[in-house]
Amino acid sequence: MAARSSTSRWRTALVSILVVALVVSVALVAVVTFLVRRPLPDHGGEQRVPGLTGEVEVLRDERGVPHLYAETDADLMAGLGFVHAQDRFFEMDYRRHVTSGRLAELVGDVPAAVDADMVVRTMGWRDVAEQEWELLSEESRTLYTAYADGVNAYVEDREASRLGLEYTVLSLSTDVEDVEPWSGVDSLAWLKAMAWDLRGNYDDEVARASALRPMFGDVEVVDGLFPDYPADEHAPILPEGGDSAGSPSDAHGEGESPSDAPADESPTDDADATDTDTDASGRSGSDLPPGTVGADPLAGTTGPSTPLTANRAGAAVVSAGSALDAVPVLLGEGDGIGSNSFVVSGEHTATGEPILANDPHLGLEQPNLWYQVGLHCVELTADCTFDVTGFSFAGMPGVIIGHNDQLAWGLTNLGADVMDLTLERTFSDGTYLRGEDRLALERRTETILVDGGDPVTLEVLSTEAGPIVSDVLGEARAAAGVPVPEGSPEAHFEGYSVALQWTALTPGRTGDAVFALNRAQDAEDVAAAAELFEVPSQNIVFATADGDIGYQAPGRIPVRGEVPEGDLPADGSWPRPGWDERYDWQGYVDPADMPAALNPEEGFVVAANQAVQPLEADPFLTGDYDAGYRSERIRTLLEERIAQGEPLTVDGANEIMLDDASPFGEVVVPYLLEVDVTDPFVLEAIDLLESWAEEGYPNDVDSAGAAYFNAVWVEILSMTLGDELPDAQAPDGGARWLLVLEQMLAEPSARHWDDRTTVNVVETRDEILGEALVEGRHQLTARLGKDPTTWRWGDLHTFAPQHPVLGGDGVPGLVRRYVNPEPVGVPGGSAVVNATSYSASARDEYGRPSYQVTAGPSMRMVVDMADLDASTWVTTSGTSGHPASGHYTDQAQAWAEGETFPWAFSRAAVEDAQEERLVLTPGG
């Protein structure tokens, strides 16, 4: 009886424990559910918004895409601010902290955040944005203010946890206070981030300097790593050159220029350069850095030119590169950053009206940086001038890419050289050399606040060129201690520092350009908007309802000086000597001289980051264009359709953007198939390459040949160039490296074929190719199985976007898995039209090559000017930044599979697609 009683008590206790555990678990689930769903906004009903003068109607479709209707421009922008804040406020706040150099205030005492703040404060992004506010037109300031009012109408009276799950997670380790009100300057500062990630050839400039030392100072070898644009094989955007369409003379008002910087100065004449073979860009006939092999291009033409100087000067440049790399990536980085765009005249379309396509290749984070929206005036009047739809940035009023009722436009990165690293000779007395003079360095102090840590005081030094960036992160001064005779003119010479000269650090009016482009009706309006669109420099392709198609290059482009042949080129390809005034920028290209075209004879325009016009044409924009494989493939596909009499359709334009033929395979596979291989195990895999070649080298998800080739490609780069260059400059496998390899394949004994990791043996081409075939076979056998026919490119090449704050390794796995979508295999690859790029030098957590997508088409759009409602669009995620929302990832699978969604524009089409209706009314 006692035993039964004891057993009963144990059972009762166990049941009680289980009940308590169940109750706790249920309560925990309830709390977690409440916290993750708490930020979800209400997309229906009615809400009051202070400052509105009338109602704003918000109609959302099944994917949560809002179309706004109002009676004034200001109300439209206020409504846009409201819906941006509803769906993406943490993203906006994160960007605000990054662009203001205040990230450590948001995420806490994280070394990477503090470093980022130091670099951004050194460049002064926020300070420039504040100056730009004063340059905006009064109307633009009104619209930015209205947008901010709309953001604040949603944010005020809501604690941080109601605005984003991220604040709740951050509050576990930081002191999360009430969020600050939004301002118009917060929006303008975002333009600096856009310009930074799309800055042109800065990476190549650093890479040249970084490669000089491991290449034993051999300038010719370094130059070979940056091949010239293959103009004979890949056509520029404007094969016949531009028309320089120009802009109306009153685009900025009488006597007013786009900014307070000179816009149309001509290069100054140099007495020493009058009899030399140079052009307006300062490029000499050889287009090589100065002197013979072993010369020091970084030392320029006046200072000492010794190995010590070269090493120290080069180290200063590398130090500057390391500092600038600390800036968080907001749009993307690397070779995969670019875009495809093309516009085809009605002569070659099924409808008889133009079709325009665009797919910007950017970093792919979660959520996607684009926010789809429509901004419609109930009636177009003097007070209400917008009827536009497309892709916006949360935090910015207006539409960045899209169409209105009369004009569609797309953007791709022009890649103009608008940023120079300037080598400065600095002295311990706080001066630097400028010509024959010693000038005092400018100084200012910045204080960086750190949540949970001590404030950081930063002294910023600047020259006439710009802020010194080489010593920002506290590394030892790269050139300190160079010995000089006491009492000589060089006394107190410490060495070299690197300053940054960048057009985006001069205040401009890009903030006005967004609205001008949204309202543009024709080519003349596009040219006027382009004159304002100073940074970042973009290619604009456009189509009009009148049947016109065209191209316009905007941007504030430096005019470069002239130097004699044999000296360091003044084309911006190398860091320039700041003490030599011949290398100074001589003003900026007149907007009227920028390349443009209207209704080109061939009936289409393709702009995919290739050269803009024939290389000898003026104005000089850059020497470091994308290699042009994507652009040439698009041109080929369009030309084939035209030759076959096959009119282009919306579906056909989407098919072109999804083309996955690999240019790498066409160049490399014929050489691989000639290698003498006898091992049956490896031959099984080589058979895949033969079949892949017959199929046209497709990088589709089910392709075994694509999987094997990309594995072999990674091994080739690792065995050749990967062991010769610094880790930061290791080959990423993009288009430039294919040009390099093309040169190497033609020379079986070229120096780069030698594997430096081997001893007492010098490898040649076929030996390295054979080893790569073997290593690729073993690599994929271990990862995908012994039978090569079962390999799939999609099992290696995955799209796995990460949340910028909560998605990284330092965050608990449960949180990461919640905010980061599941990886999905995708087609495409580097330098492919469907440019889902990966880095050939990246390695996963097990030390294996990583084929994970690092950049790709951030959205795809096709606009049909015959029927705007027949247009299509898609992004990589969805409209919402809230992980608990059904619109957080509801476009991702469609994007991965190459599908798109209908893009409503007319009121009737928007109402047909309507799922939710919200009315914003005046008051509050």
Side-chain angles (χ1 to χ4, degrees), residues 149-168:
D149 289 344
V151 173
N152 294 328
Y154 184 77
V155 168
E156 65 181 2
D157 299 328
R158 283 181 168 86
E159 61 185 62
S161 64
R162 293 184 59 197
L163 297 171
L165 173 64
E166 294 88 345
Y167 294 110
T168 299

Side-chain angles (χ1 to χ4, degrees), residues 593-609:
D593 293 332
M594 291 295 285
L598 185 63
N599 298 322
E601 185 176 343
E602 58 187 345
F604 62 83
V605 177
V606 175
N609 316 120

Side-chain angles (χ1 to χ4, degrees), residues 202 204-210 297-300 313-314 317-318 420-423 498-499 568-569 572-578 583:
Y202 152 78
D204 288 342
E205 195 172 331
V206 172
R208 284 184 176 95
S210 301
L298 300 179
V317 175
V318 173
D420 280 1
L421 293 177
T422 302
L423 198 63
V498 176
L568 176 73
S573 57
W574 290 83
R576 75 174 200 251
Y583 292 88

Side-chain angles (χ1 to χ4, degrees), residues 1 43 85 92 249 286 587 672 723 841:
M1 190 72 178
H43 287 164
M92 295 165 60
S249 60
S286 64
L672 293 175
D723 61 3
S841 63

Side-chain angles (χ1 to χ4, degrees), residues 121-278:
R121 291 285 190 93
T122 295
M123 289 189 282
W125 288 4
R126 178 79 184 193
D127 294 339
V128 178
E130 290 175 350
Q131 296 173 63
E132 289 182 334
W133 180 257
E134 300 303 323
L135 295 179
L136 291 179
S137 69
E138 182 178 351
E139 180 201 29
S140 290
R141 285 198 296 270
T142 297
L143 297 182
Y144 277 95
T145 299
Y147 176 86
D149 289 344
V151 173
N152 294 328
Y154 184 77
V155 168
E156 65 181 2
D157 299 328
R158 283 181 168 86
E159 61 185 62
S161 64
R162 293 184 59 197
L163 297 171
L165 173 64
E166 294 88 345
Y167 294 110
T168 299
V169 177
L170 287 173
S171 69
L172 300 176
S173 58
T174 64
D175 182 15
V176 175
E177 300 178 352
D178 292 339
V179 298
E180 301 172 18
W182 193 263
S183 72
V185 175
D186 292 332
S187 297
L188 292 179
W190 168 236
L191 295 173
K192 302 302 144 191
M194 288 174 57
W196 177 254
D197 285 347
L198 302 174
R199 57 191 177 268
N201 82 327
Y202 152 78
D203 294 311
D204 288 342
E205 195 172 331
V206 172
R208 284 184 176 95
S210 301
L212 189 62
R213 185 174 181 182
M215 295 303 169
F216 305 103
D218 192 326
V219 170
E220 283 194 46
V221 173
V222 174
D223 190 67
L225 298 178
F226 298 86
D228 293 334
Y229 182 80
D232 293 339
E233 302 170 15
H234 299 162
I237 297 172
L238 306 179
E240 304 302 322
D243 298 332
S244 297
S247 308
S249 60
D250 61 349
H252 301 291
E254 185 176 349
E256 188 178 1
S257 68
S259 71
D260 56 359
D264 57 357
E265 296 181 24
S266 301
T268 58
D269 293 329
D270 191 305
D272 296 330
T274 54
D275 296 324
T276 60
D277 181 18
T278 59

